[in-house]
Amino acid sequence: MGHEFSGVVEEVGPGVTGISVGDHVVVEPFMVDGTCPSCNRGDYHLCDQMGFIGISGRGGGLSEHIVVEERWVHPTGSIPLDQAALIEPLAVAHHGIAHAGYANTDHEGEWALVGGAGPIGLLTGAVLKAYGMKVIISEPSGARRDKALEAGVADHVVNPLEEDLHEKVTELTDGELVSVSFDAAGVPQVLQDLIHATRPAGRIEVLALHMHPYSMDIMADLTMKERVIGSSIGYCNDHPTVIKLVQDGKVDLAPFITSKIKAENVVEDGFNALRNPQEVKILVSMD
């Protein structure tokens, strides 16, 4: 188990040139065949046989040691190992923003909206802020709204259970609505609210996994407003970019580490503790 992890290189195999013993690294935890049409196009994250180390097999972050190909190992330099464990979900957020066309400074000063302030929603806000956007996060949990403000990843937060999101966004943006919105909740009503809060010719990106079919009015919500909706999965060549964002001080991962536990306590202090909305990322040490 465990697909979000960092560690220290203990041994390298023949022909490995970019990694040395003692390096602090993170693993991009893909399992791909390297031969399917998606892999041949360079879209390895869409491999026909795609799996994740730590989910699909081959050990993972809760193993004391793991062997992976050089291509998946990324040096993190001076980034503390605990913070480096969050590079993987940061890459998820960055990939969605890149897929939407906003992983650049071309939209500096524009408004973005994130639905959901779980780990991916908070990290999406962090990346958007790193690229100079103004961020609104919609989240029903008071603890998570507070975390978004304390971590500096949101300029404004909204409680959608008590406030009309469209009205609040209209007020904050002086009637413009947001240029882009990100669904980090996976809840149909959240996605619908995000669509309505996105300006004409704007972009909606689905980051969350929706477990059930979703019905929408394509004519009213997309066609007549020329909105574009897209969705993304995982990451593809995002790890080096997000590592540099952290190294350059544009993203601070420290606020999102809310607990550190030992492996022997992973059920009670890990899985069970995640029911607490004040938890964002619980790190498990194998020491």
Side-chain angles (χ1 to χ4, degrees):
M1 296 180 65
H3 65 288
E4 305 171 10
F5 59 98
S6 59
V8 180
V9 176
E10 291 194 358
E11 186 177 348
V12 297
V16 173
T17 58
I19 304 294
S20 301
V21 172
D23 283 354
H24 288 197
V25 299
V26 294
V27 172
E28 186 174 354
F30 273 128
M31 299 163 61
V32 303
D33 62 27
T35 61
C36 72
S38 291
C39 285
N40 289 335
R41 287 195 308 270
D43 296 325
Y44 58 84
H45 64 307
L46 304 178
C47 175
D48 291 347
Q49 306 297 324
M50 188 269 284
F52 284 95
I53 297 171
I55 296 177
S56 307
R58 294 189 57 189
L62 295 185
S63 301
E64 292 185 1
H65 294 86
I66 185 170
V67 179
V68 293
E69 297 94 332
E70 182 181 6
R71 69 177 291 194
W72 303 125
V73 181
H74 302 277
T76 55
S78 60
I79 300 173
L81 279 175
D82 57 352
Q83 295 181 34
L86 275 66
I87 290 295
E88 193 273 350
L90 185 65
V92 171
H94 186 274
H95 183 69
I97 293 169
H99 191 254
Y102 282 79
N104 52 66
T105 57
D106 295 346
H107 304 279
E108 187 171 356
E110 293 184 30
W111 286 97
L113 173 61
V114 180
I120 297 299
L122 291 169
L123 292 171
T124 298
V127 176
L128 291 168
K129 293 292 292 180
Y131 286 123
M133 297 196 74
K134 294 181 287 189
V135 178
I136 303 166
I137 293 184
S138 175
E139 166 61 50
S141 166
R144 292 188 171 183
R145 291 196 306 274
D146 290 344
K147 175 60 73 173
L149 293 173
E150 292 166 4
V153 301
D155 296 282
H156 298 276
V157 294
V158 179
N159 181 352
L161 301 181
E162 297 181 356
E163 301 176 276
D164 184 287
L165 183 60
H166 183 272
E167 289 183 3
K168 191 63 178 179
V169 169
T170 300
E171 174 190 333
L172 292 171
T173 63
D174 295 325
E176 291 289 331
L177 301 181
V178 300
S179 299
V180 61
S181 59
F182 297 89
D183 172 17
V187 177
Q189 187 59 54
V190 172
L191 179 55
Q192 190 63 51
D193 290 345
L194 294 178
I195 293 171
H196 291 163
T198 303
R199 65 168 171 78
R203 170 82 179 212
I204 301 97
E205 186 77 12
V206 179
L207 307 179
L209 301 178
H210 281 254
M211 307 309 293
H212 303 286
Y214 172 76
S215 297
M216 68 180 304
D217 187 337
I218 293 177
M219 176 74 79
D221 290 342
L222 299 183
T223 306
M224 299 307 294
K225 300 294 185 181
E226 286 199 347
R227 294 187 181 106
V228 176
I229 188 168
S231 188
S232 59
I233 183 70
Y235 24 74
C236 185
N237 300 312
D238 293 275
H239 278 65
T241 301
V242 298
I243 288 170
K244 191 171 191 309
L245 287 176
V246 177
Q247 290 175 331
D248 291 347
K250 294 182 178 180
V251 171
D252 181 10
L253 293 172
F256 308 116
I257 301 172
T258 48
S259 294
K260 298 180 182 181
I261 66 172
K262 295 293 185 180
E264 57 265 29
N265 302 320
V266 71
V267 175
E268 186 61 31
D269 295 342
F271 298 133
N272 292 342
L274 283 174
R275 297 170 182 166
N276 181 349
Q278 293 184 334
E279 295 285 4
V280 180
K281 281 296 180 181
I282 299 174
L283 298 189
V284 182
S285 173
M286 298 308 297
D287 292 339

